[in-house]
Amino acid sequence: MKKTLTGLKPSGELTLGSLIGAIKQMKDYQEDYDSYLFVPDLHAITVPQDPKELKERIRKNVGLYLACGIDPKRNTIYLQSENLYHANLSWVLECTTYMGEASRMTQYKDKTSKGENVSVGLFTYPILMAADIILYDADYVPVGIDQKQHVELARDIATRFNNKYGNTFKIPEPLIPKTGAKIMDLQAPTKKMSKSADNYKGTILLLDPPETAKKKIMSAVTDSDNLVKYDPINKPGISNLLTIYSSLKEIPITEVEKHFQDYNYGSLKKEVAEVVATTLTTIQKKYQEIINSNIINEVLDAGREKTTKLAEAKLKEVYHKIGLER
Ligand code: AQP
């Protein structure tokens, strides 16, 4: 059975973008793949975090995975920081990655171009991400479009290692959703909806009260044409709303466009807001049942045990090939 693997870093509360870009894909694939879904908590500390909040968010992430329909019987769910082999392999890969290729990563360039004081970890995290993926020989990595470049780096690193030391790693492929590869900020629809956005009105959190989420949709920035059309370049705000509707209702965007063609922007927003609120209500009901139960610990214990064994074997093979043994 082919393997899928992805993770959502607990650097903030999970958003509608996290759901549509990553979790939903994992849910759709879970029947047919051996699925690995982890909490990349080591990635979260590439930017400053409050320890108490981080601890809470790690648990919330797992609670939300399950509440969004991730089946623990079909998925291996684990915390990156509980498995020491991720960071070990990452070091080996860092030593086989060139400064030039790491410097080309656009997320790093974006952060540094704003003149922010960034950590070395933010520069090297795509290499840790490569380790996360190839440690388990994942075939497919469901990600939003913004992470495609990092999966390509993982492919390059794995290919180089295989060429130099013999076949060791599977070469992973990114899986980008057809619709919803990039959900945009509701207040700045040319920017990605992000957990760490400055303007909370632009981001829908999966744990937002449904009424709050509705208000955010109703005040989404659009344009002055009053013409409902899917055109991400010229009408990013409207196109974003159509994309959200299309993903959540699982209806192709062309049909969604047709459905709304005679609507004005107010009534379009109202219908999108309803769908978002219904989605959040369903997720939050399940989340409340899960978050205070023992299921999270049970799932994580099983995940840690399984992945530690697999990762240990892979790292041993790597160490053997590069000469790190007595
Ligand atoms: N807005 C989005 N649209 C589509 N996909 C998205 N993803 C995140 N936001 C959107 C996808 O979710 C996966 C996990 O991403 P992540 O949470 O680990 O990191 P990120 O992409 O850096 O997410 P944020 O919200 O922007 O985090 P911050 O603000 O902390 O940097 C990835 O597959 C991502 O593509």
Side-chain angles (χ1 to χ4, degrees):
M1 203 182 221
K2 299 263 188 192
K3 241 181 220 176
T4 55
L5 179 147
T6 204
L8 297 102
K9 65 177 189 278
S11 45
E13 301 255 333
L14 296 185
T15 71
L16 194 63
S18 320
L19 174 70
I20 294 174
I23 304 176
K24 196 172 168 301
Q25 287 210 83
M26 283 302 277
K27 184 179 164 235
D28 293 344
Y29 295 128
Q30 67 185 355
E31 305 273 326
D32 304 315
Y33 293 91
D34 183 13
S35 308
Y36 286 63
L37 181 56
F38 71 110
V39 180
D41 46 2
L42 294 176
H43 288 283
I45 60 165
T46 51
V47 295
Q49 298 292 341
D50 174 83
K52 194 167 164 269
E53 279 176 20
L54 179 59
K55 185 177 168 169
E56 270 170 25
R57 274 197 244 112
I58 290 170
R59 196 176 165 83
K60 273 185 178 174
N61 258 40
V62 181
L64 279 169
Y65 291 170
L66 301 176
C68 290
I70 296 298
D71 179 353
K73 291 198 188 77
R74 295 181 189 276
N75 288 265
T76 304
I77 301 172
Y78 54 103
L79 303 189
Q80 182 188 32
S81 62
E82 287 192 342
N83 186 332
L84 305 182
Y85 297 105
H86 286 242
N88 264 284
L89 179 63
S90 179
W91 177 252
V92 174
L93 300 184
E94 275 185 42
C95 296
T96 63
T97 305
Y98 297 111
M99 285 295 288
E101 56 190 348
S103 309
R104 279 195 290 277
M105 297 298 109
T106 51
Q107 287 214 359
Y108 174 74
K109 285 204 279 190
D110 283 353
K111 301 252 178 182
T112 42
S113 68
K114 288 180 208 144
E116 286 172 33
N117 200 3
V118 296
S119 69
V120 175
L122 193 70
F123 179 65
T124 56
Y125 102 80
I127 306 170
L128 176 59
M129 179 168 159
D132 300 334
I133 298 167
I134 65 178
L135 194 49
Y136 302 103
D137 285 324
D139 296 277
Y140 299 112
V141 187
V143 282
I145 194 83
D146 58 310
Q147 291 288 348
K148 185 168 176 251
Q149 194 189 27
H150 291 161
V151 182
E152 277 160 2
L153 178 69
R155 289 170 62 84
D156 292 345
I157 293 173
T159 305
R160 186 178 312 131
F161 191 98
N162 287 350
N163 288 343
K164 189 159 181 198
Y165 299 105
N167 205 15
T168 311
F169 299 114
K170 210 165 238 173
I171 310 301
E173 273 180 49
L175 275 187
I176 315 288
K178 282 197 190 76
T179 310
K182 198 169 184 179
I183 300 299
M184 300 305 200
D185 186 289
L186 298 170
Q187 290 297 312
T190 51
K191 274 179 25 194
K192 187 181 88 158
M193 183 184 283
S194 262
K195 301 180 211 96
S196 53
D198 303 329
N199 187 349
Y200 80 100
K201 282 171 74 180
T203 304
I204 293 189
L205 304 178
L206 294 181
L207 293 177
D208 266 344
E211 283 308 313
T212 306
K214 275 190 188 174
K215 282 189 195 134
K216 288 181 182 177
I217 297 277
M218 292 311 292
S219 58
V221 167
T222 52
D223 52 64
S224 50
D225 293 354
N226 224 3
L227 172 72
V228 178
K229 193 165 177 284
Y230 181 73
D231 178 354
I233 306 283
N234 299 307
K235 300 171 79 67
I238 289 296
S239 303
N240 194 34
L241 295 176
L242 295 176
T243 302
I244 291 171
Y245 187 91
S246 159
S247 302
L248 297 182
K249 295 280 277 185
E250 301 187 343
I251 302 175
I253 199 85
T254 43
E255 279 178 40
V256 171
E257 206 181 8
K258 236 184 255 162
H259 170 74
F260 285 117
Q261 65 187 355
D262 297 324
Y263 279 52
N264 61 32
Y265 288 180
S267 38
L268 162 75
K269 283 179 173 178
K270 234 181 176 170
E271 207 163 310
V272 176
E274 277 309 323
V275 172
V276 170
T278 306
T279 303
L280 297 194
T281 304
T282 312
I283 292 172
Q284 290 172 16
K285 195 165 166 267
K286 286 199 201 132
Y287 177 81
Q288 289 313 330
E289 289 163 15
I290 290 162
I291 198 65
N292 293 319
S293 76
N294 202 35
I295 183 159
I296 294 182
N297 285 336
E298 286 168 14
V299 160
L300 290 179
D301 285 348
R304 184 190 55 222
E305 210 168 295
K306 177 173 168 186
T307 56
T308 302
K309 275 192 201 130
L310 290 172
E312 184 186 11
K314 183 59 96 180
L315 195 74
K316 249 191 191 158
E317 185 187 345
V318 168
Y319 275 11
H320 168 72
K321 286 193 168 155
I322 62 178
L324 289 180
E325 63 189 356
R326 278 193 272 162

